[in-house]
Amino acid sequence: MILNSLFTACGLICVGLGTVGIFLPILPTTPFYILAVLCFAKGSERFHSWFTSTNLYSKYIESYAKNRSMTLKSKFAVLIPVTVMLILTAAITDMLVIKIVIAVLLAVKYWYFIYKIKTKYP
């Protein structure tokens, strides 16, 4: 019972963070929504059913959850805003360590999207 409540609370937090990520590109929407689905699956069938029936789920992760793939448009919709924010952050900072971390982050993100997430063509 307590474990179910913890999973449900974690799922709700992830939904909140993912939704904030829609407006703030520095937060990744899709991973938080995927984590929310997993938490709800472990914690509450009611919340799991609710979330998987929302527009947020269908817009951001349904395709990925079913096929382990994304359309090229979806990939660009995720990559471009985050890339812009990270490049702007790197441009305004004077700290070399932060610039290196951002460069590594961008490289890993692009590598993952290119090689690990299949591209689905309509």
Side-chain angles (χ1 to χ4, degrees), residues 44-71:
S44 169
E45 186 176 321
R46 189 179 96 201
F47 277 105
H48 186 264
S49 296
W50 162 75
F51 186 63
T52 56
S53 68
T54 64
N55 287 336
L56 296 173
Y57 176 82
S58 63
K59 182 176 180 182
Y60 289 96
I61 63 172
E62 184 174 44
S63 172
Y64 180 75
K66 287 182 179 177
N67 307 318
R68 296 286 189 244
S69 65
M70 296 174 78
T71 63

Side-chain angles (χ1 to χ4, degrees), residues 62-84:
E62 184 174 44
S63 172
Y64 180 75
K66 287 182 179 177
N67 307 318
R68 296 286 189 244
S69 65
M70 296 174 78
T71 63
L72 198 55
K73 182 180 176 183
S74 297
K75 284 185 175 186
F76 283 133
V78 171
L79 289 171
I80 290 172
V82 174
T83 301
V84 170

